[in-house]
Amino acid sequence: MRNRFRGPGIAVRFVGVLFTMFALLVSLLPTGSTFADTAPTVTVTHSLKNDVSPPLRRIKPPLPSTPSTRPFKPIPRPRSNGGKPGNVQGQPGIASAPVTTLNIDGVGQGFSGPAGTFTVQSAPPDTNGATGPNHYVQSVNTDFAIFNKSGTVTYGPVPINTLWSGFGGLCQTDNDGDPTVVYDRISDRWVISQFAVTGANGSSTPYLMCVAVSTSADPTGSYYRYSFADTLFPDYPKFGVWPDGYYYSTNEFTGGSTFAGGQVASLDRSKMLTGQPATRQSFNLGTSYGGVLPSNQDSQAQPPAGSPNYILGLGATANTLAFWKFHVDWATPSNSNLAGPTTLSTAAFSEACAGGTCIPQKGTTQQLDSLADRLMFRLAYRNFGDHEALVTNHSVTAGSSVGVRWYEIRLDASHNPSIFQQGTYAPDSNYRWMGSIATDKSGNMALGFSVSSSSINPEIHYTGRLAGDALGQMTQGEGTIINGGGSQTTNLSRWGDYSTMTVDPADDCTFWYTNEYIPSNGTFNWKTRIGSFKFPSCGGVVTNDFSISANPASLSVTQGASTS
């Protein structure tokens, strides 16, 4: 095409106008926001296949898979090395942590249930679970089991691909793990997923995301089953429930090894609740972001009508978080958009172990992975009526050890975020990592995590705070779910990948936490534990979060930037 601007003077004036318009636009952006040259483009794909399963309790489990170690896939995004950490809590809370009401072994080496005895086949265990009104469903690499609320295992343990028996393709034949199970309290359903990648080679045989949605409240009943195809390796998927979709995030790798950016996707929940063919809408975040999380509704009250799903990850610059608003339009996909990232400035932090391996254990030189290059599952959302809040955590350097940095992010009426409070829980020289955090209906928080050092074997502990406590502090002491009897040895650094704190929808007060431990020195002998507890104050009147503490050092409110 011929150039319309023949004269150089006209061209210069045109460029000058564009520059002025650009400068004006940038000046209107809120402080801390980032400016993208182009908005990400939505990608729409259809479910590759879908059907309905027989009742799960009637499906014969397949044979177990062969032992394997899932390699750690670091996210080569910009690292945060923000110097000396801020908002460090250097002592435990003075109150007593609530005692556990249930404390049992989950799926792990030697665990037995109606389907037999589990033998560890993979590492790490990818321990996670979800709580419903009458059941607790736990999944690990590469099996899952179902418990009643008294702690009795009523189904399993069975390989996860039992759910796709008769479905065909890689969802049926592969049992590759990276599982998640979430409870949809809006519709009283269960959502169980894992990827299928072993038999794939990218394009000719696509990688698959295998997703099953229960047809009823019974997790042992039938499921609507789906597969969604990916040409890139969809590593580390994390799911969240939202009224307009089942959202999930992945770290995309070309050829299984070259990082191609974080991805966020939404599945058409309304279609999947009735077993119809479903579509997926997804956005790539670029290579500066990975390990992000979608928001997951915990509260009985739904988000305000039209609320986007909230996406959060570590920022592209030091001492920041990155926040997106994912709006999906199923009728007109071209109207779907991903707004952001908004940059939220945090207290200073450096990623634990520079995102890699440095966690010591008793009796061995073998260190454990920190997975500090990403946020830890979940991004838990709650609508309190007078405000909306999100909580999450990640692992940071704390002096000569490692602590858990946690956040409460609040949203205004226009869905704009700010950090209401934050803290780094590092009460002593032990290493704390692999956390998960949630909030009950009264605004009390519970934080679970792994603990280890050169003088102790890995342990599973928890702490918490009440809604009216001094901001930025975990005030309720530190409780123990179990202290491991051994350490992981012989060149096996893989640990956890994630743990899960959820809240019981039956009372909206009881927390359920699951994580891994080692019963004795060794490899491929991990066990998991499930513990529940609640704060006695839950269900009472929520005290004012804005009360002023007598100690200014404990008032740790960091306001982040927001954008409309």
Side-chain angles (χ1 to χ4, degrees), residues 99-102 131-132 136 149 185 298 378 382 438-442 444 446 501-513 531-536 538-539:
V99 298
T100 56
T101 52
L102 183 73
T131 322
Y136 185 83
K149 288 294 188 65
R185 70 176 296 167
D298 277 0
R378 298 173 302 133
R382 191 170 285 274
T439 309
D440 69 21
K441 69 180 180 182
S442 292
N444 309 313
M501 183 75 75
T502 56
V503 184
D504 197 325
D507 63 4
D508 228 3
C509 288
T510 302
F511 293 97
W512 292 71
Y513 183 60
S532 67
F533 56 91
K534 64 180 291 186
F535 296 107
C538 183

Side-chain angles (χ1 to χ4, degrees), residues 48 199-208 229-233 253-256:
L48 191 64
N201 57 16
S203 55
S204 59
T205 301
Y207 304 108
L208 297 180
D230 286 283
T231 57
L232 301 180
F233 191 111
F253 288 85
T254 302

Side-chain angles (χ1 to χ4, degrees), residues 18-352:
L18 286 179
F19 179 82
T20 301
M21 293 175 63
F22 177 84
L24 177 62
L25 177 60
V26 171
S27 70
L28 294 175
L29 287 172
T31 303
S33 296
T34 58
F35 182 83
D37 292 330
T38 57
T41 303
V42 66
T43 299
V44 181
T45 53
H46 298 273
S47 52
L48 191 64
K49 182 178 181 179
N50 70 284
D51 73 356
V52 59
S53 77
L56 177 62
R57 56 185 171 271
R58 298 180 185 172
I59 300 176
K60 182 180 179 180
L63 295 174
S65 56
T66 56
S68 64
T69 301
R70 177 69 61 193
F72 174 52
K73 292 184 178 296
I75 307 168
R77 47 170 294 281
R79 290 280 172 265
S80 181
N81 185 10
K84 185 177 180 180
N87 294 71
V88 176
Q89 179 181 339
Q91 64 286 320
I94 59 175
S96 297
V99 298
T100 56
T101 52
L102 183 73
N103 198 332
I104 60 171
D105 263 347
V107 181
Q109 184 66 30
F111 173 83
S112 294
T117 300
F118 177 78
T119 300
V120 169
Q121 301 289 330
S122 302
D126 293 355
T127 314
N128 75 113
T131 322
N134 302 301
H135 302 89
Y136 185 83
V137 180
Q138 187 199 39
S139 64
V140 301
N141 269 335
T142 47
D143 286 45
F144 74 106
I146 300 171
F147 302 78
N148 64 25
K149 288 294 188 65
S150 298
T152 301
V153 56
T154 60
Y155 177 84
V158 298
I160 299 171
N161 63 335
T162 302
L163 272 169
W164 283 272
S165 180
F167 186 74
L170 296 185
C171 287
Q172 176 179 334
T173 58
D174 283 10
N175 193 42
D176 292 333
D178 263 23
T180 57
V181 51
V182 290
Y183 172 69
D184 180 348
R185 70 176 296 167
I186 304 170
S187 297
D188 197 10
R189 302 289 187 90
W190 300 88
V191 183
I192 301 175
S193 67
Q194 71 171 350
F195 60 21
V197 295
T198 299
N201 57 16
S203 55
S204 59
T205 301
Y207 304 108
L208 297 180
M209 188 61 61
C210 310
V211 184
V213 180
S214 67
T215 64
S216 70
D218 181 4
T220 68
S222 58
Y223 282 76
Y224 297 126
R225 305 185 291 194
Y226 292 83
S227 61
F228 296 88
D230 286 283
T231 57
L232 301 180
F233 191 111
D235 194 45
Y236 205 73
K238 295 293 168 287
F239 272 70
V241 176
W242 209 246
D244 62 3
Y246 293 128
Y247 288 77
Y248 73 93
S249 59
T250 54
N251 299 322
E252 302 285 293
F253 288 85
T254 302
S257 59
T258 303
F259 184 55
Q263 177 181 259
V264 290
S266 182
L267 307 178
D268 192 336
R269 175 177 170 272
S270 64
K271 293 289 196 297
M272 298 174 75
L273 288 172
T274 56
Q276 301 177 62
T279 55
R280 174 181 63 188
Q281 296 187 19
S282 59
F283 291 91
N284 188 283
L285 304 177
T287 55
S288 292
Y289 303 99
V292 304
L293 296 176
S295 51
N296 185 93
Q297 179 188 327
D298 277 0
S299 56
Q300 183 177 4
Q302 295 187 29
S307 290
N309 187 262
Y310 305 113
I311 308 295
L312 191 69
L314 297 178
T317 56
N319 305 326
T320 61
L321 298 175
F323 179 93
W324 293 263
K325 293 181 282 190
F326 189 162
H327 167 72
V328 66
D329 188 327
W330 296 110
T332 310
S334 60
N335 291 337
S336 297
N337 65 82
L338 183 70
T342 296
T343 298
L344 300 178
S345 297
T346 71
F349 71 85
S350 296
E351 296 171 14

Side-chain angles (χ1 to χ4, degrees), residues 380-399:
Y381 166 90
R382 191 170 285 274
N383 185 351
F384 289 97
D386 64 339
H387 69 276
E388 302 171 79
L390 299 159
V391 294
T392 193
N393 79 101
H394 59 108
S395 303
V396 301
T397 299

